[in-house]
PDB file of all heavy atoms in Angstrom:
ATOM      1  N   ASN A 111     120.058 182.946  50.914  1.00  0.00           N
ATOM      2  CA  ASN A 111     119.863 181.639  50.274  1.00  0.00           C
ATOM      3  C   ASN A 111     120.779 181.448  49.070  1.00  0.00           C
ATOM      4  O   ASN A 111     121.037 180.312  48.658  1.00  0.00           O
ATOM      5  CB  ASN A 111     118.403 181.475  49.848  1.00  0.00           C
ATOM      6  CG  ASN A 111     117.453 181.356  51.025  1.00  0.00           C
ATOM      7  OD1 ASN A 111     117.850 180.903  52.098  1.00  0.00           O
ATOM      8  ND2 ASN A 111     116.213 181.768  50.848  1.00  0.00           N
ATOM      9  N   HIS A 112     121.246 182.545  48.498  1.00  0.00           N
ATOM     10  CA  HIS A 112     122.130 182.446  47.331  1.00  0.00           C
ATOM     11  C   HIS A 112     123.564 182.095  47.713  1.00  0.00           C
ATOM     12  O   HIS A 112     124.376 181.790  46.830  1.00  0.00           O
ATOM     13  CB  HIS A 112     122.127 183.768  46.553  1.00  0.00           C
ATOM     14  CG  HIS A 112     120.868 184.024  45.781  1.00  0.00           C
ATOM     15  ND1 HIS A 112     120.350 183.111  44.891  1.00  0.00           N
ATOM     16  CD2 HIS A 112     120.025 185.094  45.770  1.00  0.00           C
ATOM     17  CE1 HIS A 112     119.240 183.602  44.357  1.00  0.00           C
ATOM     18  NE2 HIS A 112     119.022 184.798  44.875  1.00  0.00           N
ATOM     19  N   ILE A 113     123.881 182.151  49.000  1.00  0.00           N
ATOM     20  CA  ILE A 113     125.259 181.867  49.427  1.00  0.00           C
ATOM     21  C   ILE A 113     125.681 180.466  48.993  1.00  0.00           C
ATOM     22  O   ILE A 113     126.829 180.242  48.596  1.00  0.00           O
ATOM     23  CB  ILE A 113     125.387 182.040  50.954  1.00  0.00           C
ATOM     24  CG1 ILE A 113     125.224 183.521  51.325  1.00  0.00           C
ATOM     25  CG2 ILE A 113     126.728 181.508  51.453  1.00  0.00           C
ATOM     26  CD1 ILE A 113     125.206 183.786  52.818  1.00  0.00           C
ATOM     27  N   SER A 114     124.739 179.535  49.044  1.00  0.00           N
ATOM     28  CA  SER A 114     125.060 178.156  48.660  1.00  0.00           C
ATOM     29  C   SER A 114     125.200 177.989  47.151  1.00  0.00           C
ATOM     30  O   SER A 114     125.584 176.916  46.682  1.00  0.00           O
ATOM     31  CB  SER A 114     123.977 177.206  49.178  1.00  0.00           C
ATOM     32  OG  SER A 114     122.715 177.532  48.613  1.00  0.00           O
ATOM     33  N   GLU A 115     124.919 179.050  46.387  1.00  0.00           N
ATOM     34  CA  GLU A 115     124.947 178.945  44.928  1.00  0.00           C
ATOM     35  C   GLU A 115     126.192 179.576  44.310  1.00  0.00           C
ATOM     36  O   GLU A 115     126.281 179.690  43.086  1.00  0.00           O
ATOM     37  CB  GLU A 115     123.697 179.615  44.343  1.00  0.00           C
ATOM     38  CG  GLU A 115     122.386 178.993  44.826  1.00  0.00           C
ATOM     39  CD  GLU A 115     121.170 179.794  44.376  1.00  0.00           C
ATOM     40  OE1 GLU A 115     121.343 180.748  43.590  1.00  0.00           O
ATOM     41  OE2 GLU A 115     120.057 179.470  44.826  1.00  0.00           O
ATOM     42  N   VAL A 116     127.134 180.005  45.147  1.00  0.00           N
ATOM     43  CA  VAL A 116     128.341 180.625  44.585  1.00  0.00           C
ATOM     44  C   VAL A 116     129.074 179.612  43.708  1.00  0.00           C
ATOM     45  O   VAL A 116     129.077 178.413  43.986  1.00  0.00           O
ATOM     46  CB  VAL A 116     129.283 181.141  45.694  1.00  0.00           C
ATOM     47  CG1 VAL A 116     128.641 182.246  46.479  1.00  0.00           C
ATOM     48  CG2 VAL A 116     129.727 180.015  46.602  1.00  0.00           C
ATOM     49  N   HIS A 117     129.678 180.110  42.661  1.00  0.00           N
ATOM     50  CA  HIS A 117     130.454 179.239  41.781  1.00  0.00           C
ATOM     51  C   HIS A 117     131.841 179.015  42.368  1.00  0.00           C
ATOM     52  O   HIS A 117     132.424 179.910  42.981  1.00  0.00           O
ATOM     53  CB  HIS A 117     130.572 179.869  40.392  1.00  0.00           C
ATOM     54  CG  HIS A 117     129.505 179.421  39.454  1.00  0.00           C
ATOM     55  ND1 HIS A 117     129.608 178.284  38.699  1.00  0.00           N
ATOM     56  CD2 HIS A 117     128.299 179.957  39.158  1.00  0.00           C
ATOM     57  CE1 HIS A 117     128.519 178.141  37.966  1.00  0.00           C
ATOM     58  NE2 HIS A 117     127.705 179.143  38.231  1.00  0.00           N
ATOM     59  N   VAL A 118     132.351 177.829  42.174  1.00  0.00           N
ATOM     60  CA  VAL A 118     133.687 177.478  42.658  1.00  0.00           C
ATOM     61  C   VAL A 118     134.543 177.095  41.459  1.00  0.00           C
ATOM     62  O   VAL A 118     134.143 176.267  40.640  1.00  0.00           O
ATOM     63  CB  VAL A 118     133.633 176.305  43.660  1.00  0.00           C
ATOM     64  CG1 VAL A 118     135.029 176.023  44.209  1.00  0.00           C
ATOM     65  CG2 VAL A 118     132.661 176.608  44.790  1.00  0.00           C
ATOM     66  N   ILE A 119     135.699 177.719  41.353  1.00  0.00           N
ATOM     67  CA  ILE A 119     136.635 177.382  40.287  1.00  0.00           C
ATOM     68  C   ILE A 119     137.994 177.076  40.913  1.00  0.00           C
ATOM     69  O   ILE A 119     138.276 177.478  42.047  1.00  0.00           O
ATOM     70  CB  ILE A 119     136.775 178.523  39.257  1.00  0.00           C
ATOM     71  CG1 ILE A 119     137.282 179.802  39.931  1.00  0.00           C
ATOM     72  CG2 ILE A 119     135.458 178.770  38.539  1.00  0.00           C
ATOM     73  CD1 ILE A 119     137.559 180.930  38.962  1.00  0.00           C
ATOM     74  N   GLN A 120     138.808 176.372  40.185  1.00  0.00           N
ATOM     75  CA  GLN A 120     140.157 176.053  40.635  1.00  0.00           C
ATOM     76  C   GLN A 120     141.140 177.001  39.961  1.00  0.00           C
ATOM     77  O   GLN A 120     141.206 177.072  38.741  1.00  0.00           O
ATOM     78  CB  GLN A 120     140.505 174.600  40.305  1.00  0.00           C
ATOM     79  CG  GLN A 120     139.681 173.573  41.065  1.00  0.00           C
ATOM     80  CD  GLN A 120     139.936 173.605  42.563  1.00  0.00           C
ATOM     81  OE1 GLN A 120     141.063 173.865  43.002  1.00  0.00           O
ATOM     82  NE2 GLN A 120     138.899 173.338  43.346  1.00  0.00           N
TER      83      GLN A 120
END
Side-chain angles (χ1 to χ4, degrees):
N111 292 333
H112 287 307
I113 292 175
S114 61
E115 300 172 7
V116 296
H117 267 274
V118 183
I119 60 175
Q120 294 295 325

